[in-house]
Amino acid sequence: MEQGQPSKDSDEKIKMLMIYVHEHYADSIPVDQLAQAAHISKRACFRLFQDTLHMTPVEYIRDYRLQMACQMLTKTKESITQIAYNCGLGSSSYFGKLFREKYDCSPTEYRNYWHDRDNNLQ
């Protein structure tokens, strides 16, 4: 196997880990629990995410939750607080902080932008 080339086993493990996150993103997901889902150690879990996705498991979980929040912001009328809760991000203030760091706008601004954009397309 060449250096930097993921093995078939690594591919299967990262898929298992990603599926677990996609199915449980609304819940608390400690890295220990995530690693157990793929039958690997916590250290192996960190290494696998870093080698394959170039991020930590915690970063992947956070990014996936924010992606789901974006979908909810554009496709539902749920409150920001409810979306934060539904995505496993806890309080709306923490959600807002993470959202601003990633997207350079508040969740409300994001929702309004996409709502206004969709209305202009109709």
Side-chain angles (χ1 to χ4, degrees):
M1 182 171 67
E2 291 180 34
Q3 184 78 18
Q5 194 84 2
S7 71
K8 192 172 181 179
D9 188 47
S10 292
D11 286 349
E12 287 304 311
K13 295 288 186 194
I14 198 70
K15 282 180 194 169
M16 288 173 68
L17 293 165
M18 292 170 72
I19 289 168
Y20 187 87
V21 170
H22 296 188
E23 291 176 350
H24 300 277
Y25 71 92
D27 307 323
S28 173
I29 309 174
V31 177
D32 296 10
Q33 182 178 324
L34 181 59
Q36 286 174 3
H39 312 290
I40 58 175
S41 69
K42 183 177 175 179
R43 186 167 177 253
C45 182
F46 272 97
R47 187 172 45 248
L48 191 57
F49 269 91
Q50 198 61 55
D51 292 349
T52 311
L53 303 175
H54 310 291
M55 61 176 55
T56 68
V58 174
E59 290 168 333
Y60 182 80
I61 293 166
R62 182 194 60 226
D63 284 357
Y64 188 76
R65 286 173 170 164
L66 288 171
Q67 287 174 30
M68 293 297 97
C70 286
Q71 287 185 19
M72 289 180 200
L73 286 166
T74 58
K75 294 179 179 165
T76 73
K77 294 185 185 294
E78 289 183 355
S79 70
I80 303 298
T81 302
Q82 190 61 46
I83 290 172
Y85 177 77
N86 290 349
C87 292
L89 292 164
S91 72
S92 56
S93 60
Y94 178 66
F95 170 48
K97 176 183 178 291
L98 290 179
F99 200 92
R100 269 186 227 90
E101 286 173 3
K102 179 137 180 105
Y103 299 108
D104 291 326
C105 66
S106 72
T108 301
E109 290 167 339
Y110 184 91
R111 173 179 267 166
N112 291 341
Y113 171 81
W114 287 103
H115 178 75
D116 292 347
R117 185 175 176 273
D118 289 346
N119 285 340
N120 289 335
L121 295 175
Q122 293 175 358

